[in-house]
Amino acid sequence: MPLSSYDNFLSTIGGSPNWCQWTAEREQVLLEPFTYIASNPGKNIRGRLITAFNYWLNVPKEKLEAIDRVIDMAHNASLIIKRLVHRIDDIEDDSELRRGRPVAHKVYGIPQTVNSANYVCHLAYQELRNSLQSSVDQVVDGREPVDRLLRVGDLDAIWTEELIRLHRGQGLDIYWRDAGICPTEEYIDMALGKASGVLRLSVRIIMTCATTNTKVNYVPLADLIDDYMNLQSQEYTDTKGLADDISEGKFSFPVIHGIRVNADSREIIDILEQRPKTPTLKLRAIAYLKDTTRSFDYTLSVMRSLENQIREEVTRLGGNPILEALLDKVHQ
């Protein structure tokens, strides 16, 4: 670049915030790790849950589509930096597979992967603000603004609050794992931050655009459902590897029960500390949790209790055939 290119450089960069021309080619480079993950879609449980909650809230179609698109962006980015830039999931856990494919940072490297996920989270929020800004007055059917628990003006607070909760939840999870500390009831607080964040964020956002039931708080139900889903999805051997949590030294729900119910034994803790990669120790841990402490039976009992509470709450809120059908399918 010739020296003359810097003549009047200050006026050039000060004249417009867009002085640096961004190109489609540059955008593609930044988005490649994200696109890699997004091209291998999951089960879209959260998308179906958004549709289910909308049975009550009746968000206008174009706004619901925008919210669904943004949440999908955020969720896919969270598979790289787990749950909306709060957690470097695949990187911190040193996972090898995500949805049955090599994790993004093994393909693109850690720096580019981290940057791409962070970038997409900001793009998602930018798109959310642009898509919902026409709802600022919250007019419903041409009438005056309705009384509601949440408004579009609350989006900044909602987004920030959920990111803080997500960081806190993941931070505790990492601390317990690395320090070898088995949590007790604290696990629930961590799970509500780490595991429930995306669904809770989704529900709070669609509540800002609701045209019916605008004064009903659906957030506790969202937390309950995601906690249930988190326990239900423990069996992901085919896509993430046999007992991957054991290889990563994580204190998952059945592992915590197995340690606490037989506190005199260090068998599970010793196995976790070794971070086993081969089946032998992992199968031993699974057999211990299954036959000695019956931790899988206990986890199943908790799941059934949560499911019953969800169904009772759905009935109290007037019923929801979409959500009930989804629960039926998960229960099978």
Side-chain angles (χ1 to χ4, degrees):
M1 181 180 292
L3 188 60
S4 59
S5 299
Y6 294 96
D7 293 345
N8 302 315
F9 189 63
L10 184 61
S11 61
T12 300
I13 63 174
S16 168
N18 299 317
W19 67 273
C20 180
Q21 296 300 315
W22 192 246
T23 65
E25 289 77 14
R26 291 175 178 175
E27 186 78 353
Q28 181 180 353
V29 168
L30 261 65
L31 291 177
E32 274 194 19
F34 169 78
T35 304
Y36 171 78
I37 288 292
S39 66
N40 188 27
K43 298 177 181 178
N44 195 30
I45 293 293
R46 285 173 180 79
R48 284 183 273 175
L49 285 169
I50 288 175
T51 301
F53 275 93
N54 196 51
Y55 175 83
W56 285 312
L57 295 166
N58 288 300
V59 173
K61 181 180 178 181
E62 68 280 2
K63 293 183 176 59
L64 186 68
E65 289 176 349
I67 293 170
D68 192 35
R69 185 168 60 251
V70 164
I71 292 300
D72 189 58
M73 289 173 65
H75 179 59
N76 278 308
S78 78
L79 296 180
I80 306 172
I81 300 183
K82 188 67 175 174
R83 313 283 185 195
L84 313 177
V85 297
H86 67 288
R87 166 187 177 193
I88 309 177
D89 180 39
D90 296 326
I91 296 169
E92 288 174 348
D93 296 339
D94 198 28
S95 300
E96 294 291 334
L97 298 177
R98 175 64 69 184
R99 293 175 178 170
R101 299 170 65 185
V103 292
H105 73 275
K106 295 292 185 181
V107 179
Y108 295 96
I110 291 176
Q112 181 72 346
T113 300
V114 170
N115 189 71
S116 182
N118 277 284
Y119 182 55
V120 168
C121 287
H122 290 295
L123 288 180
Y125 184 61
Q126 182 182 63
E127 180 169 345
L128 182 68
R129 291 290 299 176
N130 292 341
S131 299
L132 302 189
Q133 61 183 339
S134 61
S135 303
V136 170
D137 295 328
Q138 304 286 275
V139 175
V140 177
D141 294 333
R143 297 192 297 271
E144 290 297 314
V146 298
D147 190 13
R148 60 177 67 243
L149 289 177
L150 296 173
R151 296 179 175 275
V152 167
D154 298 322
L155 283 177
D156 287 342
I158 291 171
W159 196 269
T160 302
E161 287 165 8
E162 294 304 332
L163 285 180
I164 289 174
R165 293 187 70 174
L166 292 165
H167 276 90
R168 287 172 174 171
Q170 178 58 19
L172 284 176
D173 194 28
I174 294 171
Y175 170 69
W176 292 331
R177 181 197 67 191
D178 292 348
I181 297 173
C182 180
T184 53
E185 291 79 8
E186 303 164 300
Y187 177 85
I188 301 300
D189 292 333
M190 180 277 295
L192 286 177
K194 167 185 158 185
S196 305
V198 174
L199 178 59
R200 184 174 54 241
L201 176 64
S202 307
V203 170
R204 293 183 73 185
I205 290 173
I206 62 177
M207 284 173 64
T208 68
C209 299
T211 60
T212 56
N213 296 311
T214 57
K215 295 185 69 176
V216 181
N217 186 5
Y218 294 96
V219 175
L221 178 60
D223 281 338
L224 195 60
I225 290 173
D226 221 353
D227 220 23
Y228 170 70
M229 293 292 187
N230 186 45
L231 289 179
Q232 190 275 337
S233 64
Q234 290 292 323
E235 25 92 16
Y236 46 70
T237 297
D238 290 342
T239 58
K240 212 186 173 195
L242 175 63
D244 204 37
D245 281 352
I246 295 175
S247 296
E248 295 160 10
K250 285 185 179 180
F251 291 97
S252 62
F253 191 84
V255 166
I256 292 170
H257 176 266
I259 292 172
R260 292 296 178 187
V261 80
N262 191 8
D264 293 333
S265 172
R266 281 191 51 87
E267 183 166 346
I268 295 298
I269 292 179
D270 288 342
I271 291 175
L272 291 178
E273 288 178 348
Q274 295 181 61
R275 305 288 201 272
K277 301 297 184 183
T278 56
T280 306
L281 284 179
K282 291 192 282 187
L283 289 173
R284 181 177 179 85
I286 290 171
Y288 179 90
L289 295 173
K290 179 182 177 183
D291 302 324
T292 303
T293 61
R294 304 188 69 83
S295 298
F296 295 125
D297 289 339
Y298 175 76
T299 301
L300 186 62
S301 297
V302 172
M303 286 173 54
R304 295 294 168 252
S305 174
L306 291 174
E307 181 182 348
N308 291 335
Q309 292 176 59
I310 291 169
R311 292 185 184 276
E312 289 173 5
E313 182 66 5
V314 169
T315 299
R316 187 187 71 80
L317 292 169
N320 187 319
I322 302 174
L323 186 52
E324 290 162 10
L326 185 56
L327 286 172
D328 290 340
K329 185 172 184 178
V330 170
H331 181 89
Q332 294 174 355

